[in-house]
Amino acid sequence: MAKALHRDRRDTDVGSTLTVVVAALANLGIAVAKVAAGLISGSSAMLSEAAHSVADTVTEVLLLTALKRSRKPPDEDHPLGYGPERYVWALLAAVATFVGGAVFSLYDGIHTLTRGETLGDPRVSYIVLAVAFVLEGFSLRTAVRQARGDADRRGMPFRLYLRHTPDTAVKAVVLEDSAALIGLVLAAGGLLGGQLTGSGVWDGIASLSIGVLLLYVAWVLGRSNVELLIGRPLPRPVRERIRAELLQVEHIEAVLELTTLVQAPGEALVAAKVDFRDLSTAAEVEWACERAEQRLHEAFPAVCRVYLDPTPGHAQRRSEGLNPGS
């Protein structure tokens, strides 16, 4: 059972790593091309898009670091493993998107609107934008394909899965590549507006729009990682099913308190205060705990750690003069 769980988590990480590597390579090449095109055309929107691609490349490097470090097995100093470490690095990736992309784009847009700009030949920029659109689309397709596969395996709608998935690496790639495609359209619009009117205002507006878009992506990703770092439970329907599975075990009378914690993609902890039948022997309680753990592992492959605390029921506490809240 443990090997199957480890294999499932390993397969998930392999898919996430491939998705991030594809995105990193695409963004690195695109960033170089955008810088060249921005310098040739003098377009602030192109330079904003270059900053966007550089920020995305840094983000992917941080996400690869997150995936690698979170795979380390549990040890004496970290008995529950290193899974949550991926959310630390993913949070830093969100900060990189904010600082490297959004701030530069907003600054460049404001600078263009207040100081103006001299527009050069936009043809190179159009070519770079078209190539970038194809590469970003391929990267997005890879990420969406993995996310849809994961959603189908869990029987969840794609949008619901993307909103709640603990695999923030794939979520980051999907959101950043989606934002990149929108940003490319905005940059092209800014170039076209400047070309038709001879004014850099359109280019400045496009740059500001890209900055706002990146702010939103950084906020969404940052919020998701903060929630997981603080400690997010399994979804309520899953918790109810876990409670029902425990109540199906012989000798378990009631589940007094249930705590669940998402530790990493495909890795969750379950802890419960359980009221066992009063006439059960110590051996029966022990075997009931073993059966309960086995049932949860079989029903919920993501549950890798189960801790059950035998606790007197409320009626027994009152009869013995104990405080029910103690």
Side-chain angles (χ1 to χ4, degrees), residues 112-149:
T112 299
L113 291 176
T114 56
R115 300 291 183 88
E117 67 179 7
T118 302
L119 297 175
D121 187 354
R123 286 178 293 182
V124 175
S125 295
Y126 285 129
I127 294 172
V128 170
L129 288 174
V131 173
F133 197 91
V134 172
L135 294 177
E136 292 285 8
F138 176 74
S139 175
L140 177 61
R141 180 190 175 195
T142 302
V144 169
R145 180 180 295 175
Q146 184 194 343
R148 285 192 182 280

Side-chain angles (χ1 to χ4, degrees), residues 230-250:
I230 293 173
R232 194 175 76 186
L234 291 169
R236 183 180 296 276
V238 177
R239 298 201 301 270
E240 293 302 321
R241 288 174 56 198
I242 289 175
R243 186 183 296 271
E245 285 289 339
L246 291 174
L247 291 174
Q248 292 297 316
V249 177
E250 188 180 3

Side-chain angles (χ1 to χ4, degrees), residues 217-257:
V217 171
W219 176 73
V220 170
L221 293 177
R223 184 185 62 178
S224 298
N225 286 288
V226 167
E227 287 179 355
L228 289 160
L229 281 171
I230 293 173
R232 194 175 76 186
L234 291 169
R236 183 180 296 276
V238 177
R239 298 201 301 270
E240 293 302 321
R241 288 174 56 198
I242 289 175
R243 186 183 296 271
E245 285 289 339
L246 291 174
L247 291 174
Q248 292 297 316
V249 177
E250 188 180 3
H251 301 294
I252 291 182
E253 294 283 331
V255 178
L256 305 176
E257 182 179 319

Side-chain angles (χ1 to χ4, degrees), residues 106-117 200-201 204 208:
L106 291 172
Y107 167 79
D108 205 40
I110 293 172
H111 183 271
T112 299
L113 291 176
T114 56
R115 300 291 183 88
E117 67 179 7
V201 171
L208 286 175

Side-chain angles (χ1 to χ4, degrees), residues 85-97:
E85 186 170 351
R86 75 167 57 202
Y87 302 126
V88 176
W89 291 96
L91 180 60
L92 293 177
V95 173
T97 299

